[in-house]
Amino acid sequence: MDMSANDYAISCRDVTVSFGDHKVLDGLDIDVPRGALLGFVGASGAGKSVLMRTILGLVPRQGGTIDVLGVNLDESNEAERSRVEKEMGVLFQHGALFSSLNVRQNVQAPMREHLDLSQQLMDELADLKLAMVGLNPDAGDKFPSELSGGMIKRAALARALALDPKIVFLDEPTSGLDPIGAAEFDELIAKLSETLGLTVFMVTHDLDSLISTCTHIAALGGGKILVLGDPKTVMAFDDPWINRYFHGARARAVLGGVAAREQD
Amino acid sequence: MPARGALDAVSSGNSSFAASGVWNTMSAAQVEPLVLDAESAIAHGTGTLSIDASQITIMDVAGAWLLHRLVAAGEAAGRPVQVAGLTGPHEVLLEEVAENARPPIAPLPEPPYPIRLLNDTGKAVIDASEDIVGITAMFGQTAIGIFKLILNPSRLRPIAILHHIEYTGVRAIPIITLISMVIGAIIAQQGAFQLRRFGAEMFSVNLVAILTLREVGVLITSIMVAGRSGSAFTAEIGSMKMREEIDAMRVLALDPIEVLVVPRVIALMIALPVLTLLADFAGLFGAGLVSWGYIGMGPDAYISYLRNIVGENTFWVGLIKAPFMAMVIALIACREGMSVGGSAESLGRQTTTAVVKSIFVVIVLDGLFAMFFSAIAY
Ligand SMILES: Nc1ncnc2c1ncn2[C@@H]1O[C@H](COP(=O)(O)OP(=O)(O)OP(=O)(O)O)[C@@H](O)[C@H]1O
Ligand SMILES: [Mg+2]
């Protein structure tokens, strides 16, 4: 490859993670180009969430190096690491909203910590982000325990976008959303990725978002990346699991629908 | 030097501005005052407002929002607005932001202080009454649960009960015996020291034996258990409540009272009397050591002296109280756990409340027992 390391938003080499004897990631390599909207697939329990948490530095790894935005987080100094951390936004699989803050305060929490904005501007920005992710105005005053599953996802996305990061990690953002909401969610992410040059690392099982919004798809299996490329390449890839994933009955239904929509 | 954004008035008459540089989240704090100034200038101007954005190099949602505020200020003043020179993506961003802008919600006005005071007082009274009702209800449900167990002993959960006995009882033995021993020693030492002036040092043994067996042993044990196990009960049940585990039990036709509360109540009612017994022994042991050192009463003499002065009733008065203490501690702790809401903060608050309430109730209950025993002259 002729791309230099700096052209990648995320670049992992030989990453190994195990829990006890259970090896979840086994010498995994992945390069995510800047500005990519990467859909990440893999069987349940394959280690998608673990890889995401490893890149974020939340899970200790037994070996390998990880570069984020061209910065090796192990070797960099405190200031550089903190700069890169501000450039990453995360939506955890279960939301992980702060339960003692209301939704608006949740979105403001990173702003309060890292920026020196007036309360008025923080309120405005928080309300703006909540509107952008499709929450009603009154949701801002609710506490996480008072939200529905889909609202939690949206609020968590608004918090992930609070600092206008360069990379967002989304762990199953559209699971638990109604299909209309999920489509809007995909549209929003695609729009942000286009206009802001956002790199998106999205773990998803939603075939619709994989095929209609992702620019790249990566598949995880056996602790390694099986394949990474544009959707057509990945779907054509010769691997039994991928074949069943993209050419099973459910996939055919979705793919047929997408093809029909494209012909209209 | 962080990247900066700028906003300059190009012509007089508040009609033309040029935005340039970096308009993003990191520069928002620096750009915001410029926008505030421009907003008031725009409100005072007339005619078409034109904003030249061609020199903006970097823009994100926060920057677009600030730019949108200028546009909105112009529109609010009834002026036509033109934004020129935005690059394609920036234009999309500005549109997206404009689409999602909402009128600010005015915060509800706070009622005046006297009203708030009345409000809070009323709330406190209602909370207190609800508390009493809640505890009584839980007592009733637990009693029913235990009664059902007696009718149908196969529903007993021996493993859960043993588990709680281990954590609330067995593991509390070291700390409770140590503390009781030290307190017994302190009372004996103080007693001997004060009574020596009357030549009545021997009576310090009476003092410490009666005090320990009737009151101090059970009180210290109950207070320690309330702090140790009461808080644990509340935290365990509370975090289950937070994660909807209690709701899951209900729909699986498991009665949370039977599964969670009854084993804890039974375990504590077994563990606390045993701990009290050990605390009594430890207290007397500590007092014996001091008596040996201070008033030269050897072990044999100490034990036979104790036999003479301590009636069987003295011993029972302390021990009878223990299961009651255990019951109120467990009930209060479980009830506070059940009333945890959805937030981590409420878990902390309920745990603190459980410990404070159960220590308070333990001491009040001890006072009531003291009155009762003196009334029946036991
Ligand atoms: N903290 C942990 N301790 C031990 N094992 C863990 C831990 N976290 C994850 N695992 C194991 O790692 C494996 C991968 O888990 P992971 O959560 O990454 O799955 P996933 O690919 O995200 O699945 P899903 O699609 O269901 O979310 C699982 O077998 C899981 O049991
Ligand atoms: Mg997962």
Side-chain angles (χ1 to χ4, degrees):
Chain A
M1 289 220 194
D2 54 349
M3 285 171 120
S4 82
N6 252 340
D7 292 323
Y8 293 120
I10 303 164
S11 171
C12 300
R13 284 286 159 278
D14 205 20
V15 168
T16 303
V17 173
S18 38
F19 298 103
D21 319 331
H22 178 37
K23 216 171 210 176
V24 179
L25 304 179
D26 183 9
L28 175 142
D29 296 331
I30 187 173
D31 292 308
V32 182
R34 285 189 192 232
L37 206 168
L38 174 76
F40 204 82
V41 300
S44 232
K48 303 179 295 295
S49 300
V50 168
L51 174 61
M52 193 181 107
R53 298 173 66 88
T54 309
I55 296 172
L56 291 166
L58 299 173
V59 172
R61 58 182 189 277
Q62 278 69 46
T65 58
I66 295 176
D67 287 7
V68 177
L69 297 170
V71 175
N72 182 325
L73 293 181
D74 293 321
E75 291 164 7
S76 59
N77 58 26
E78 189 67 32
E80 216 166 28
R81 194 161 45 235
S82 136
R83 183 180 64 78
V84 171
E85 275 166 7
K86 278 184 231 165
E87 302 285 12
M88 298 196 284
V90 188
L91 185 160
F92 287 97
Q93 189 163 9
H94 304 290
L97 294 172
F98 302 124
S99 58
S100 41
L101 303 180
N102 69 24
V103 169
R104 185 174 297 112
Q105 290 164 336
N106 260 286
V107 178
Q108 286 173 358
M111 301 184 199
R112 211 178 285 281
E113 197 57 33
H114 295 298
L115 305 174
D116 187 24
L117 303 179
S118 70
Q119 184 62 44
Q120 186 205 345
L121 185 58
M122 282 200 288
D123 284 341
E124 287 170 358
L125 286 178
D127 282 345
L128 174 67
K129 306 251 148 124
L130 292 175
M132 284 172 71
V133 299
L135 281 172
N136 288 332
D138 56 352
D141 294 318
K142 291 207 164 106
F143 282 87
S145 56
E146 300 163 347
L147 300 180
S148 75
M151 288 162 84
I152 289 176
K153 292 266 150 119
R154 290 168 190 268
L157 179 67
R159 188 180 68 180
L161 296 175
L163 293 179
D164 285 309
K166 293 225 161 52
I167 307 180
V168 286
F169 294 87
L170 310 174
D171 200 346
E172 307 200 7
T174 51
S175 70
L177 293 187
D178 63 277
I180 302 172
E184 281 170 6
F185 214 89
D186 287 340
E187 249 168 56
L188 170 73
I189 289 166
K191 195 183 267 179
L192 290 176
S193 148
E194 242 167 64
T195 52
L196 297 175
L198 197 65
T199 307
V200 181
F201 183 104
M202 172 164 70
V203 174
T204 184
H205 293 299
D206 186 342
L207 283 164
D208 245 332
S209 31
L210 278 171
I211 291 152
S212 55
T213 47
C214 292
T215 61
H216 293 66
I217 295 180
L220 181 69
K224 290 192 168 57
I225 299 294
L226 298 172
V227 56
L228 189 162
D230 60 75
K232 289 222 166 60
T233 322
V234 174
M235 279 190 273
F237 188 75
D238 188 25
D239 175 273
W241 186 82
I242 289 179
N243 270 330
R244 277 176 54 207
Y245 194 98
F246 288 107
H247 303 289
R250 294 180 55 147
R252 270 201 304 276
V254 172
L255 289 173
V258 170
R261 275 207 300 270
E262 274 169 3
Q263 277 175 10
D264 292 343
Chain B
M1 183 66 197
R4 296 173 70 92
L7 180 65
D8 304 303
V10 177
S11 67
S12 56
N14 300 327
S15 62
S16 178
F17 291 85
S20 58
V22 175
W23 282 54
N24 70 2
T25 308
M26 294 302 150
S27 70
Q30 175 250 320
V31 175
E32 191 194 358
L34 305 177
V35 170
L36 270 177
D37 288 345
E39 273 173 338
S40 61
I42 288 169
H44 291 116
T46 50
T48 306
L49 169 68
S50 64
I51 301 169
D52 173 17
S54 59
Q55 299 303 311
I56 291 183
T57 49
I58 298 178
M59 188 165 95
D60 66 8
V61 176
W65 172 256
L66 288 170
L67 198 59
H68 168 77
R69 265 178 48 175
L70 292 179
V71 175
E75 281 165 358
R79 303 171 60 177
V81 185
Q82 282 177 351
V83 181
L86 276 178
T87 61
H90 290 175
E91 194 156 357
V92 177
L93 209 55
L94 189 62
E95 271 166 26
E96 176 74 21
V97 165
E99 224 167 84
N100 287 299
R102 291 172 181 155
I105 311 167
L108 289 177
E110 278 228 330
Y113 181 72
I115 305 256
R116 259 188 296 154
L117 188 70
L118 285 176
N119 214 345
D120 291 351
T121 315
K123 254 194 203 129
V125 171
I126 290 175
D127 283 353
S129 67
E130 274 176 357
D131 241 19
I132 293 172
V133 172
I135 287 280
T136 316
M138 183 163 280
F139 175 71
Q141 286 168 319
T142 311
I144 293 173
I146 293 177
F147 191 66
K148 276 194 210 151
L149 281 185
I150 294 171
L151 292 184
N152 185 1
S154 68
R155 296 176 73 106
L156 192 72
R157 294 164 198 273
I159 295 184
I161 293 176
L162 284 176
H163 168 87
H164 290 301
I165 289 180
E166 175 177 355
Y167 279 87
T168 59
V170 179
R171 298 196 178 200
I173 290 175
I175 184 70
I176 282 175
T177 48
L178 180 71
I179 286 190
S180 305
M181 193 179 89
V182 172
I183 287 181
I186 291 171
I187 296 174
Q189 191 262 347
Q190 287 295 322
F193 186 73
Q194 298 295 334
L195 292 170
R196 180 172 286 168
R197 290 194 257 174
F198 307 98
E201 307 167 310
M202 291 285 271
F203 284 103
S204 71
V205 178
N206 298 42
L207 173 75
V208 76
I210 290 174
L211 205 54
T212 302
L213 293 180
R214 288 185 82 109
E215 303 290 344
V216 173
V218 65
L219 259 185
I220 292 293
T221 311
S222 304
I223 290 174
M224 283 298 294
V225 165
R228 245 185 121 260
S229 310
S231 58
F233 287 178
T234 308
E236 286 162 9
I237 295 182
S239 58
M240 293 181 76
K241 178 85 192 300
M242 261 167 80
R243 286 180 298 175
E244 300 181 331
E245 289 175 44
I246 307 247
D247 297 337
M249 275 183 188
R250 288 220 169 90
V251 292
L252 293 172
L254 294 166
D255 178 10
I257 298 282
E258 194 182 314
V259 177
L260 298 175
V261 179
V262 170
R264 286 179 168 80
V265 171
I266 293 179
L268 211 57
M269 286 176 77
I270 295 171
L272 196 76
V274 177
L275 285 174
T276 302
L277 192 65
L278 293 174
D280 286 350
F281 289 151
L284 292 179
F285 178 73
L289 288 182
V290 167
S291 306
W292 198 1
Y294 254 68
I295 53 180
M297 186 187 261
D300 288 346
Y302 178 71
I303 289 173
S304 62
Y305 188 82
L306 275 183
R307 280 218 183 112
N308 281 332
I309 57 164
V310 177
E312 210 179 302
N313 66 328
T314 313
F315 172 74
W316 284 117
V317 164
L319 217 52
I320 285 171
K321 293 189 268 191
F324 293 94
M325 302 295 193
M327 194 173 67
V328 294
I329 292 171
L331 284 178
I332 290 176
C334 293
R335 147 128 175 109
E336 293 300 326
M338 293 282 187
S339 50
V340 165
S343 74
E345 200 187 355
S346 87
L347 180 61
R349 197 172 45 229
Q350 265 8 55
T351 309
T352 312
T353 314
V355 173
V356 173
K357 269 189 199 157
S358 47
I359 291 178
F360 172 76
V361 173
V362 158
I363 290 173
V364 170
L365 200 60
D366 193 65
L368 293 178
F369 268 114
M371 283 158 64
F372 172 71
F373 284 125
S374 64
I376 62 167
Y378 186 61

